[in-house]
Amino acid sequence: MNDRQAPEWLDTLERCGLEVTRKAAPDGPPANAAIYAVSGFEVEPVAAILSSTPHAADGLDEAWHRHAAQASLYGENGEFLILPPVPGGSQVGWVRVKDPVGKNLPSRICAATGSPDSWPVRLTATTCVPPRSKNPTTGS
């Protein structure tokens, strides 16, 4: 890789409209444990949006931001941790970011990656707020 090129994960976060404030964030939970927990094994969803419904993306954005506010996802400076939504993102680890746009994060992630799935957590690493739309044919 050319040293002047940004890694793919950094480019993806920027295309999602996120501002990276610190690339290495060792204060997050173990990445694989967070992914396992939110993949439906240990955590019940607080909202379910069928991807086949009209305006599903809008519903997912609204539900996600409502829950993110209730869970105090954003830290004092508007920062939170996220695993880069790219293949191998768990190997990159937690990245501290800010969301200067402040709305429609799942839709922006979907526009950049083709899926709204991501694993953001608050800086205290006690709450993970993953946006996931439910596919009516597979149930996941």
Side-chain angles (χ1 to χ4, degrees), residues 8-86:
E8 176 189 0
W9 64 265
L10 182 58
D11 178 61
T12 300
L13 289 174
E14 290 172 352
R15 286 187 292 117
C16 293
L18 296 172
E19 178 183 306
V20 174
T21 59
R22 189 166 63 177
K23 291 179 185 173
D27 44 352
N32 288 337
I35 292 169
Y36 179 81
V38 299
S39 294
F41 298 103
E42 298 174 13
V43 178
E44 289 292 322
V46 296
I49 310 295
L50 291 175
S51 59
S52 63
T53 60
H55 310 289
D58 295 337
L60 181 60
D61 287 336
E62 290 171 20
W64 188 86
H65 282 283
R66 184 174 47 254
H67 184 63
Q70 291 170 346
S72 301
L73 174 71
Y74 300 101
E76 193 174 290
N77 298 334
E79 295 180 327
F80 59 96
L81 303 176
I82 191 168
L83 290 175
V86 297

